[in-house]
Amino acid sequence: MIKQMIFGVSFNQKSRGYESIMTFGEVDTRYGELDLLSWLPIENDTLPYWNFHLSDFLFDNTNISSNISTAAVTLADPFFRIPTRAFKNIEKILAEKDLNCSLSKDNVLSCNVLLNDYSIFPDIVVKTKERDFIVSPYDYLYFERRNITSWKATFMIVPSEIDDRIVLGTNFLRPYYTVFNCENLSIGMMRLKEIYNIWPSIIIVGLVFVYAVYSVSLEPVSYTHLRAHETIRQLVCRLLLATK
C-alpha cells in the first residue's frame, strides 16, 4: 500500500555505499536524516522539469546567474544546462585560472590538465531561500587519460538555448536522496548518509586484534609450560621418541 503520492531517487554513489535506488510511498530514512530534508516548493511542473525559485548559482563563489530566478530538476537529462550568457561566465572563470579549456562542436566543455585532480576545480553552489546545495567537482567532472603526461577533464555542464532557467540534471542529484511530492508539488532533498564511514574504524580495530594475537602467539614459553598443556597423543609421541 502506497502511503503518499511521493517517490524518491538516488543515483549510484559507491563511495558512499549506495547503488542507484528508487523508493515509493514515503521518505526512506535509511538514506538520510528526516529533519535534514529541505523542501522546495514547485513553481510550475512543466514536465520533464520540476521548477523552483533560484536565489543564486555560484561557480567559484561567483554568481553567474544574474537575471535568472528559476532552476529546474529533471530525471531525463544528466547535464547541467546553463543559459549561454551564464555559461560564458564559467569559461571566463576557468580562463582566469589559466586552465586550458575548450568547447567541442557538441558544446561539451573540457580542460587538459596534468593530473586527475578534482581540487583544482571549484564547487558549484545552488542557493535557494530554503538552503544551499553544494555540488563538488567529483559530481560534475569526468576524467580520462589522454596520454602518459596529461588528462582530460570533461564537464557535465553545457550551454543551453533555454535562457530563463538553469536545468539541473541527474549529476546535480548524485550527492542527494531526492524526494518528489506529487500531492504538495514540492521537492525534498537531503545529503546521503555516509553509510560506510564506520569501516575505517572497523579495519583499524581488526588490524590491532590480528597484531595482538600474532604477537602473543610468538612469545617464548618454558618447557614446563608446554608439558602442562600436553595432550595424551603428544605425550605418547614424546615417550616413543625418547625410547629411540
Side-chain angles (χ1 to χ4, degrees):
M1 176 72 69
I2 295 180
K3 298 178 181 179
Q4 297 173 278
M5 293 294 292
I6 64 176
F7 66 95
V9 295
S10 180
F11 296 93
N12 190 310
Q13 280 285 287
K14 289 187 177 179
S15 64
R16 295 183 174 96
Y18 295 96
E19 298 291 343
S20 297
I21 57 171
M22 179 168 256
T23 60
F24 296 93
E26 61 184 352
V27 177
D28 195 328
T29 55
R30 289 178 297 175
Y31 305 109
E33 302 296 336
L34 190 58
D35 57 350
L36 298 179
L37 186 66
S38 297
W39 289 98
L40 306 176
I42 299 302
E43 295 185 339
N44 57 69
D45 57 344
T46 309
L47 294 178
Y49 302 124
W50 292 58
N51 302 302
F52 60 89
H53 180 75
L54 176 71
S55 298
D56 291 311
F57 186 92
L58 305 183
F59 186 82
D60 197 27
N61 294 318
T62 301
N63 183 21
I64 66 167
S65 62
S66 58
N67 301 321
I68 303 172
S69 60
T70 300
V73 170
T74 179
L75 302 179
D77 191 343
F79 290 97
F80 292 74
R81 296 194 179 273
I82 312 294
T84 301
R85 66 181 186 278
F87 186 85
K88 291 184 181 298
N89 291 329
I90 293 179
E91 292 181 294
K92 180 180 178 181
I93 291 169
L94 294 173
E96 290 172 350
K97 292 179 174 291
D98 294 325
L99 291 169
N100 179 19
C101 303
S102 60
L103 199 63
S104 72
K105 294 180 180 179
D106 298 323
N107 284 334
V108 176
L109 180 65
S110 61
C111 300
N112 295 325
V113 293
L114 295 177
L115 299 171
N116 58 335
D117 183 4
Y118 290 97
S119 66
I120 63 178
F121 296 94
D123 288 339
I124 291 173
V125 182
V126 178
K127 299 179 73 69
T128 70
K129 183 176 68 175
E130 288 74 19
R131 65 168 289 182
D132 296 348
F133 298 95
I134 299 174
V135 184
S136 72
Y138 175 82
D139 295 310
Y140 71 76
L141 277 178
Y142 290 93
F143 279 96
E144 59 180 320
R145 186 182 287 277
R146 290 176 58 87
N147 51 54
I148 195 170
T149 60
S150 68
W151 292 75
K152 182 171 76 170
T154 301
F155 286 71
M156 298 299 291
I157 305 172
V158 296
S160 171
E161 296 180 356
I162 302 175
D163 61 1
D164 63 342
R165 77 188 72 172
I166 291 176
V167 177
L168 307 173
T170 54
N171 274 272
F172 166 69
L173 301 178
R174 286 184 70 209
Y176 299 100
Y177 171 55
T178 307
V179 181
F180 296 83
N181 191 320
C182 302
E183 291 179 346
N184 297 329
L185 289 181
S186 56
I187 303 174
M189 300 180 67
M190 58 183 168
R191 188 165 284 274
L192 286 166
K193 288 180 179 177
E194 299 286 347
I195 64 172
Y196 279 175
N197 60 3
I198 62 171
W199 281 110
S201 299
I202 293 175
I203 291 171
I204 291 172
V205 171
L207 290 174
V208 170
F209 176 76
V210 170
Y211 175 77
V213 172
Y214 184 71
S215 299
V216 169
S217 66
L218 292 183
E219 289 182 358
V221 295
S222 67
Y223 179 72
T224 303
H225 177 85
L226 291 174
R227 290 287 303 275
H229 292 82
E230 195 172 45
T231 65
I232 295 297
R233 181 178 296 179
Q234 290 168 342
L235 173 62
V236 171
C237 290
R238 181 171 60 79
L239 293 176
L240 288 174
L241 289 172
T243 59
K244 289 185 178 182

